[in-house]
Amino acid sequence: MSEGKDNLVPVIKVPTDERKLNLSKHFYNEFGCQPEFIVRVPGRVNLIGEHIDYCGYPVLPMALEQDILLAGSLIKEHKLLMRNTNSKYENFETELKSFNEIVITPDANGKPYWYNYMLCGIKGALEHLNNEVLYGLNMYVDGNIPPASGLSSSSALVSAACLAFLYAQKAVLNKIDIAGLCARCERYIGTQGGGMDQAIAFLAEKYCAQYITWNPTKATKVVLPEEASFVVAHSLAEVNKAATNDYNRRVAECRLAAKLLSLSIQTMSHTVITLGQVQKLLNKSLEEMIALVKETLPKDIYTKEEICAILNVSTDELDNFYLTPNTKQLSEFKLKQRALHVYEEARRVEDFKKICEKTNKCLNGTNGTSSVKEDINTLESLGKLMSESHESLKNLYECSHENLDRLVDISFQMNVHARLTGAGWGGCIVALCPREKVKEYIETLEDEFYIKHCNIDKSKANSYVFATSPNFGAVIYITN
């Protein structure tokens, strides 16, 4: 790809605001100098298209105003010094080694340390650079993305560290290449993500969501209805994808479902294919794939022995070629349910995009205004897709949580459609709310969920729910 200016992460003069000034003050007090640059990487909220990026299907996220800021300065010693403005995160420093010498080690409970995510980003950058290092780095992090919320705080931290390290070594990558690199980086933590978080982090544009497709990665603007507001609410149930095998289990089940669905057209090989690739190989529509799943994978549960027999492989071969280290001990798999969710969710993404495009086409063909009735119908159509998505994630993918379901139910009682966003098992919901109803909706969530159900003090309840609009992607601020 051409390294045109628009394809590169912007490098601009740092804007003055209280948060960046405070970060610079922390940096100076710790390292005795001002930062030479500040990297900003946003969090994201996925509007629709959950758990399908790693199956090869498009997703429809937008970047948040909330972000990770990483202040950095170059040092001649080949060292990495990492600090965090949040005092609960301990300081960390290490010698800057070759990428294969950087070991990502979790705590005694299997949960990653905060700096493990930064090490993932730097490990991937080192591999890309073939260990050619000019400088070490002093780094100070400040984040206002709620951790373990499903809003991509961990991916933003991986991406910020990778981008900062590449910038320090004077490496130049376009947005798509660095998004792909950062997606690979995060797999060092143990999760088999699909690349959505990193793609939107670098390709996001203000005022619109992005329809992101794969192989090659491409982002297409999706202008959202003018009357649509999106509200994000935290369930107060935190989840860490790398601390359990829940996420990787779903990835493995999708791989195995794809393998079984493709048996009629493939000679047996151990090439891992995705559900999206199966659709292309069979040259079928999403509706036809949904019917094929019901016909070909009729059982609710498949044992490991049954799958081995169908694929004509040994248990060791199944473990080595299709499972991850933290899923090899599994003995049962739900293939039909996971595949149905993926194909149906992929169809919902396409429908969501088409509704937005149809609305904008109609507006462009008129005087740029629409009737109240048209706006209500459009939001209702989009909202129903989001509600259907949540039901599928709850019942077919089984990655919801009782707190998420309660938030969705409260929303529905107000005729506001909502769904879990992110990996699930906790984290946040995203709700599609008419603009004039946002204040009332947020106040209802505060009262009915945070105060009455969670016993949160009223003065603190509003910190867990916020309205948001699409923001811009990653940027490098220079300080002089």
Side-chain angles (χ1 to χ4, degrees):
M1 175 177 283
S2 169
E3 299 296 345
K5 185 177 179 182
D6 291 343
N7 295 325
L8 302 177
V9 176
V11 180
I12 60 177
K13 186 74 174 176
V14 64
T16 301
D17 62 53
E18 184 176 350
R19 187 158 161 245
K20 294 182 184 67
L21 288 173
N22 187 54
L23 176 57
S24 294
K25 182 178 178 181
H26 276 284
F27 193 97
Y28 183 84
N29 289 340
E30 178 68 22
F31 299 119
C33 63
Q34 291 294 334
E36 296 174 44
F37 61 89
I38 297 176
V39 164
R40 175 195 178 269
V41 177
R44 65 97 188 97
V45 61
N46 191 23
L47 301 183
I48 197 159
E50 218 64 74
H51 284 284
I52 64 173
D53 57 337
Y54 53 77
C55 295
Y57 283 104
V59 290
L60 220 159
M62 68 183 198
L64 294 172
E65 297 171 21
Q66 287 81 359
D67 56 31
I68 294 289
L69 295 178
L70 188 158
S73 69
L74 313 184
I75 54 176
K76 292 181 179 179
E77 299 90 346
H78 282 195
K79 287 185 174 182
L80 299 170
L81 288 81
M82 303 177 187
R83 306 290 186 263
N84 198 305
T85 57
N86 189 329
S87 59
K88 80 174 184 178
Y89 297 125
E90 64 186 70
N91 294 344
F92 179 79
E93 52 191 73
T94 183
E95 296 292 323
L96 188 49
K97 306 171 183 176
S98 65
F99 76 88
N100 55 10
E101 292 179 292
I102 294 180
V103 180
I104 314 296
T105 306
D107 66 17
N109 298 315
K111 185 176 180 180
Y113 295 103
W114 75 276
Y115 53 80
N116 285 161
Y117 294 101
M118 296 181 69
L119 289 175
C120 284
I122 290 164
K123 182 179 175 76
L126 281 168
E127 184 172 12
H128 174 78
L129 296 169
N130 293 316
N131 295 318
E132 294 181 11
V133 177
L134 298 174
Y135 300 101
L137 273 178
N138 293 323
M139 292 175 282
Y140 220 121
V141 171
D142 179 70
N144 60 6
I145 309 168
S149 62
L151 301 178
S152 195
S153 59
S154 56
S155 295
L157 188 53
V158 172
S159 298
C162 185
L163 178 58
F165 192 78
L166 290 171
Y167 180 71
Q169 313 311 321
K170 304 186 185 307
V172 178
L173 278 77
N174 64 47
K175 294 177 185 178
I176 288 176
D177 287 344
I178 193 171
L181 173 59
C182 290
R184 296 190 295 275
C185 288
E186 191 162 346
R187 292 171 193 158
Y188 291 127
I189 209 77
T191 51
Q192 299 292 306
M196 171 182 64
D197 298 349
Q198 298 79 12
I200 191 63
F202 289 97
L203 302 174
E205 295 183 42
K206 203 169 175 64
Y207 307 121
C208 60
Q210 297 284 350
Y211 172 78
I212 299 175
T213 53
W214 314 106
N215 299 317
T217 301
K218 181 182 177 183
T220 304
K221 292 181 187 178
V222 175
V223 180
L224 302 166
E226 189 175 341
E227 291 305 309
S229 287
F230 292 94
V231 175
V232 176
H234 202 307
S235 68
L236 301 185
E238 294 190 349
V239 61
N240 187 297
K241 288 188 295 187
T244 72
N245 70 0
D246 291 329
Y247 186 93
N248 282 353
R249 179 179 192 138
R250 302 307 188 274
V251 176
E253 287 171 325
C254 288
R255 286 177 180 171
L256 292 172
K259 206 67 187 176
L260 267 62
L261 287 170
S262 67
L263 281 180
S264 63
I265 51 170
Q266 276 203 317
T267 56
M268 190 57 213
S269 72
H270 293 310
T271 304
V272 173
I273 63 171
T274 66
L275 289 166
Q277 288 173 318
V278 173
Q279 184 193 353
K280 289 180 181 177
L281 288 168
L282 293 174
N283 194 27
K284 291 182 179 291
S285 67
L286 286 168
E287 288 74 16
E288 289 171 326
M289 290 306 301
I290 292 166
L292 182 66
V293 170
K294 294 175 181 177
E295 176 188 337
T296 308
L297 302 173
K299 299 184 68 173
D300 287 337
I301 293 177
Y302 286 81
T303 66
K304 179 178 279 190
E305 290 73 20
E306 286 176 311
I307 295 171
C308 287
I310 294 169
L311 295 178
N312 193 27
V313 298
S314 67
T315 300
D316 285 344
E317 286 177 310
L318 191 79
D319 288 347
N320 292 333
F321 290 108
Y322 304 110
L323 304 184
T324 60
N326 66 348
T327 58
K328 289 181 179 181
Q329 80 283 8
L330 298 176
S331 59
E332 295 182 340
F333 302 88
K334 295 185 178 181
L335 307 186
K336 174 179 69 175
Q337 298 91 321
R338 310 316 187 213
L340 281 177
H341 166 76
V342 169
Y343 289 129
E344 291 172 352
E345 185 80 347
R347 184 175 61 184
R348 283 187 284 269
V349 171
E350 298 305 316
D351 290 345
F352 195 102
K353 176 173 175 278
K354 287 175 184 175
I355 292 169
C356 291
E357 289 174 341
K358 182 180 178 181
T359 301
N360 290 321
K361 187 175 181 181
C362 290
L363 287 176
N364 291 333
T366 64
N367 60 0
T369 61
S370 58
S371 69
V372 173
K373 185 177 180 181
E374 288 173 335
D375 288 338
I376 291 172
N377 289 341
T378 297
L379 296 191
E380 183 66 17
S381 297
L382 295 175
K384 283 181 178 178
L385 292 172
M386 292 175 68
S387 290
E388 290 170 9
S389 174
H390 183 79
E391 285 302 304
S392 181
L393 290 160
K394 175 183 175 182
N395 298 317
L396 292 177
Y397 228 71
E398 297 177 285
C399 63
S400 191
H401 184 279
E402 61 179 352
N403 284 13
L404 292 167
D405 296 338
R406 186 180 292 271
L407 281 166
V408 168
D409 290 342
I410 294 170
S411 303
F412 192 74
Q413 291 166 18
M414 290 191 68
N415 199 29
V416 172
H417 293 280
R419 58 180 288 276
L420 73 83
T421 186
W425 298 286
C428 292
I429 65 160
V430 57
L432 174 57
C433 186
R435 185 172 296 177
E436 73 277 0
K437 202 172 183 177
V438 168
K439 186 173 184 293
E440 177 192 0
Y441 173 60
I442 288 177
E443 288 175 350
T444 300
L445 290 185
E446 289 174 0
D447 290 338
E448 296 298 320
F449 182 75
Y450 297 105
I451 296 172
K452 290 183 181 179
H453 180 67
C454 301
N455 297 314
I456 299 291
D457 187 82
K458 188 173 181 67
S459 63
K460 297 179 180 179
N462 63 5
S463 64
Y464 297 106
V465 55
F466 58 88
T468 188
S469 58
N471 216 284
F472 58 93
V475 64
I476 301 168
Y477 297 120
I478 53 175
T479 56
N480 49 43

